[in-house]
Amino acid sequence: MRYCSTRGGVQGWGFREVLFSGYAPDGGMFMPETVPTLTPDTLRSWASLSYPQLVQEVCALFIPDDLVPRHDLNAVLSGALSQFSVPGVVRMAQLGGGLSVLELFHGETLAFKDLAMTCTTRLLDYFLQRESRRATVLVGTCGDTGGSAIRGARGLGGVDVVVVFPRGRVTAVQEKHMTTCLEDNVHVFAADGSSDDIDVPLRRLFADQSLVRDHGLMSLNSVNWCRILVQLAHFLYAYLRLSGLERTPGGALPSLEVVVPTGGAGNITAGCIVKQMGVPLRLVAMVNANDIVHRAVRSGDFSMTTEVKQTLASAIDIQDPYNMERVFWLLSGRDGLLVKGLMEEFQRSHKITLPDALHSKLSSVMSAGSVTDEGIVGTMRRCWEENHYLLCPHTAVAVWHHYHSPLSPGENRCCIATASPAKFQDAVQKAGLTVDVPEEVRALEKMATRYENLELGEDWERRLRERIESVTSVRQRGALFYSPV
């Protein structure tokens, strides 16, 4: 299994090199050069697997055994998934009216990103320990990724983590998950802007190949292929539990609709890959008022509006869904030249119109919808009234689709639940509901915090570069072995 860039300038990289990377050197994103096919027999043989076992099988398809022996891979992944609060790591809630909700938020920061993040950081640590090396992780976040990256890497001796979050645009719980980590290897910045504003200097830093090389710089955003890889298991788990596969022995595979709250588009990208692997999914990308993905699917209009709108579903307040580059690459027949032209124009003008052939393919692979704050609140209320089941606002974005697009007889559907409602208490209160806040969340309020501000008009790229360089200097002064990754 080898990897290439979506912009055509890099081919033949191995999994280890991709794991330790952010964007590809040509500015693109890494993807597998080939996508394995899952036969009906394979899917049926996986039907009884637990979620951790399914993650192991999926990762083994993309991580060569001669790089990470299978017994090592299984040990790393099972260790990563051993600290979740429910026995099966994830949980399927089957509610009234055919509503099924796949809960992916039972990790330490109560968000789905804990699943892929813990696996990615453990794989990272596996290589760092084996090679006696260190790395610096640079993460921009719209809320959940930062806390998950910090918690995942907090106990790893070979990693420093630099996280930037948009001040005033995340919930109090999301912010505390980042700022209460006082370990010396954690460096948190609060930026006076949106998550899209943060992405601009981060892209420039990752484009500086000497900086990347000299300081072991890497990403744990869903820019990192390993994050997407682990998320393939979400869609396979949902399919094996809900499609009715066991009732169709030897016949055509049944389909499953999966509804995904979409921000940076990492999860929906994973769904597209699973679909290309031969699993008959009907994908629905649901967004809030930041509706660029919806417009792209509906009309081919992939353009930012003037500003990122702040909504109740704050973790998907994104107008630059960077993983859509991976989707465009897949659906264009892996046309790196086309994707390079499109994405460079998008970075320059923030506006492109998808070519007709690409738009037609995109709209055939997924549908999409956009939900207002009023719709989010109404969905949260309705789900509670009908099921006594409390949704977070992002999950409500998905469940809104369920309430407004009734299933036909014989169809199956799964809505992805990306976070616990305990992280979004203001949204729960706006819906006139209450949430039982876990003790570990209440404890955050009393904990000391540490972070630095990035002010509007300040050179954020320079500040972050200086911190990255100082991290390396501290390592060297401490006589820690360091070799560029």
Side-chain angles (χ1 to χ4, degrees), residues 177-383:
H177 273 143
M178 292 181 274
T179 61
T180 56
C181 288
L182 307 182
E183 284 81 359
D184 289 341
N185 71 322
V186 174
H187 314 266
V188 179
F189 292 85
D192 189 12
S194 70
S195 59
D196 286 348
D197 295 331
I198 291 167
D199 281 341
V200 174
L202 266 58
R203 273 186 180 270
R204 289 199 292 262
L205 290 167
F206 280 116
D208 184 341
Q209 289 305 297
S210 63
L211 183 77
V212 170
R213 181 185 62 253
D214 294 343
H215 301 280
L217 191 64
M218 61 169 293
S219 172
L220 282 181
N221 285 79
S222 56
V223 168
N224 193 303
W225 158 251
C226 193
R227 290 272 309 279
I228 305 298
L229 168 57
V230 176
Q231 288 172 185
L232 303 183
H234 305 169
F235 294 86
L236 286 163
Y237 184 87
Y239 181 80
L240 295 173
R241 293 298 181 274
L242 295 177
S243 67
L245 179 68
E246 72 284 355
R247 298 192 296 273
T248 58
L253 291 174
S255 65
L256 175 72
E257 183 175 274
V258 185
V259 189
V260 186
T262 302
N267 245 352
I268 201 71
T269 296
C272 288
I273 295 169
V274 171
K275 189 175 177 71
Q276 286 220 341
M277 293 170 76
V279 181
L281 300 176
R282 303 188 313 275
L283 299 172
V284 184
M286 293 298 299
V287 298
N288 54 27
N290 299 286
D291 64 345
I292 182 172
V293 172
H294 178 219
R295 286 183 282 109
V297 173
R298 183 187 62 200
S299 66
D301 173 23
F302 192 70
S303 59
M304 296 185 188
T305 55
T306 54
E307 62 179 1
V308 176
K309 301 176 180 69
Q310 291 186 257
T311 77
L312 294 177
S314 58
I316 55 175
D317 286 350
I318 293 174
Q319 296 231 24
D320 181 3
Y322 48 85
N323 277 293
M324 288 301 290
E325 177 168 341
R326 286 178 158 128
V327 175
F328 298 156
W329 182 80
L330 276 174
L331 301 184
S332 66
R334 298 168 170 77
D335 189 338
L337 206 57
L338 171 67
V339 171
K340 175 180 170 66
L342 287 174
M343 299 317 298
E344 287 182 351
E345 174 60 24
F346 179 72
Q347 287 168 0
R348 185 188 66 79
S349 67
H350 297 164
K351 178 180 177 62
I352 57 173
T353 299
L354 300 182
D356 289 345
L358 179 56
H359 172 238
S360 176
K361 185 69 172 176
L362 178 66
S363 59
S364 71
V365 165
M366 69 177 75
S367 58
S370 175
V371 186
T372 64
D373 274 0
E374 181 181 16
I376 290 171
V377 166
T379 300
M380 293 170 71
R381 287 195 194 111
R382 177 173 174 179
C383 190

